Amino acid sequence: MGGAFLAAAVLARVGNRIGLPTIPLFILAGILLGPHTPGIVLVADPHDLEMLSALGLVLLLFYLGLEFHLDDLKAGGRKMALAGGTYLALNVGAGLGFGFALGWGTSEALVLAGVLGISSSAIVTKVLVDLGRIGNPETKPILGIIVVEDVFLALYLAALQPILSGADSLSAAAVDGGKAFGFLLLLALAARFGTKVIGKLINTRDDELLVISFLGAAVFVAGVSEWFGVADAIGAFMVGLMLGSTSSGTRILKLVHPLRDAFGAIFFFAFGLSINPGDLPTVLWPVLAAVAVTLAMNVFAGLAAAKVYAFGPQATANISTTLVARGEFALILATMAATAGLDERLSPFIAGYVLVLAVLAPLAAGRSHWLARILPGGRGRGEDRPTFR
């Protein structure tokens, strides 16, 4: 465990010096120090970190729920919904078509639709901060698209779980789906109408008791969610949604941050442990094709968002390149696919795809003025070059 944390930390420090996000580096640490790579093997059996990895996933989605508020959707109004919906339609639709074109199976195609369709909010936010673009006019639509994606992700994972569980018949699938929907509805009602009661139960001045309380609630509800056929991560997301609206929400957000970072790193590291580098060449061409599809769809989505907000070529290019990154959500889907026993090529494919785009995205965003020059109305114009910090 100590070696895993230290290896992830060392690689992440090196990556920060050259402007790379931490997620692909944590995965790379797992690949290099796992059982499938010659040299030092820190963890011979990836299952040894299974519980800690699951806790990392729970905390990632719990934190996302804390940050998410339904008011965020109302504030952006029609433009945010239109831009986010267009982005999802283009990217998820292209991902689904790509999945069917690979011919790996229907369930695999549905997983790939989510993998190719949803950006990494962690990497996108980091890119915006690192490039000093938080105050740019196009940043609000970018964050709006991320919010719409988060809502879609929660619904998509909930709908996908019964399909991946392998129900024996249509009626069994309907029963499983009904159970999952009923449980989700119960959690949604609690989040909508039970905030005051939940706030009183969770509230305490003692940080130690507060940490134990929200961590216990998140993990417990995540476990119960699995009984009802709902992904544990979505159960944790709903708990975050409930607690984020209480009077203790701000304190919880601050207290859970280091826990999320630590166990999230183990989640990405453990995913890397399961990857055999020898399998990556077998999916090289599908990975490169998927990257090309994602880059093309992001340009189209950027053009569509720019039309909604009446942006110029530079803002369009910033939107297109900033949202390219794929990360934590793709790996959540990879974990679900592996648990469901889907095609073994999915894990190395998703790992390769995430690694390429997680590295490419910050580089592309920092050079978005190159794209701006070739967009409509941008030829020969080099305005609004990025400011690096």
Side-chain angles (χ1 to χ4, degrees), residues 9-378:
V10 169
L11 273 181
R13 283 172 177 266
V14 173
N16 276 335
R17 290 183 179 274
I18 56 177
L20 293 179
T22 55
I23 289 174
L25 295 170
F26 292 151
I27 299 171
L28 184 60
I31 293 174
L32 294 177
L33 299 172
H36 306 297
T37 306
I40 298 174
V41 177
L42 281 180
V43 184
D45 185 359
H47 293 293
D48 289 344
L49 293 181
E50 191 169 10
M51 181 59 71
L52 291 174
S53 174
L55 183 57
L57 178 58
V58 163
L59 288 172
L60 282 169
L61 268 292
F62 174 70
Y63 186 86
L64 181 65
L66 286 171
E67 284 195 315
F68 178 78
H69 296 284
L70 292 175
D71 293 339
D72 294 341
L73 281 178
K74 298 177 183 177
R78 187 181 66 86
K79 287 185 177 180
M80 182 191 294
L82 184 58
T86 302
Y87 186 90
L88 286 171
L90 287 170
N91 285 272
V92 174
L96 185 62
F98 180 82
F100 281 122
L102 284 180
W104 291 355
T106 300
S107 295
E108 287 77 1
L110 291 171
V111 170
L112 288 173
V115 170
L116 270 66
I118 300 175
S119 306
S120 167
S121 58
I123 298 178
V124 168
T125 304
K126 181 174 175 57
V127 167
L128 290 171
V129 171
D130 289 349
L131 294 180
R133 292 181 181 167
I134 291 296
N136 284 17
E138 74 276 3
T139 295
K140 189 172 182 180
I142 289 173
L143 296 177
I145 290 173
I146 291 294
V147 169
V148 174
E149 284 185 319
D150 291 345
V151 176
F152 173 80
L153 174 74
L155 298 174
Y156 193 71
L157 288 181
L160 196 60
Q161 184 69 19
I163 297 173
L164 297 185
S165 64
D168 297 329
S169 64
L170 185 62
S171 60
V175 171
D176 290 343
K179 285 168 55 181
F181 177 78
F183 183 69
L184 276 176
L185 182 61
L186 181 64
L187 291 179
L189 290 173
R192 176 65 180 85
F193 300 106
T195 304
K196 289 185 178 180
V197 175
I198 294 170
K200 289 180 180 179
L201 291 174
I202 200 78
N203 187 41
T204 175
R205 293 182 179 180
D206 190 314
D207 285 349
E208 179 185 12
L209 293 179
L210 185 59
V211 170
I212 294 170
S213 299
F214 73 68
L215 188 59
V219 175
F220 179 75
V221 174
V224 173
S225 296
E226 288 198 327
W227 290 352
F228 287 92
V230 176
D232 52 2
I234 294 304
F237 174 86
M238 296 301 294
V239 175
L241 194 64
M242 295 177 205
L243 299 185
S245 300
T246 66
S247 57
S248 303
T250 303
R251 286 175 61 209
I252 293 173
L253 192 67
K254 182 179 179 180
L255 291 169
V256 78
H257 199 283
L259 292 172
R260 182 210 67 171
D261 288 346
F263 289 98
I266 291 299
F267 169 71
F268 298 124
F269 181 87
F271 181 78
L273 291 175
S274 65
I275 301 301
N276 185 345
D279 293 336
L280 294 177
T282 65
V283 293
L284 176 62
W285 292 112
V287 165
L288 294 178
V291 168
V293 168
T294 299
L295 292 175
M297 289 302 106
N298 271 265
V299 172
F300 289 131
L303 288 168
K307 189 172 183 179
V308 172
Y309 286 90
F311 286 146
Q314 183 59 54
T316 303
N318 288 349
I319 294 172
S320 298
T321 54
T322 303
L323 288 168
V324 160
R326 300 295 186 265
E328 61 273 24
F329 300 144
L331 301 184
I332 291 170
L333 289 167
T335 303
M336 290 176 63
T339 303
L342 300 188
D343 196 300
E344 293 180 354
R345 291 171 290 186
L346 270 178
S347 287
F349 169 85
I350 294 173
Y353 174 75
V354 167
L355 284 170
V356 171
L357 283 182
V359 173
L360 183 62
L363 300 177
R367 293 157 181 80
S368 59
H369 56 280
W370 292 356
L371 174 61
R373 292 174 184 170
I374 62 174
L375 291 175

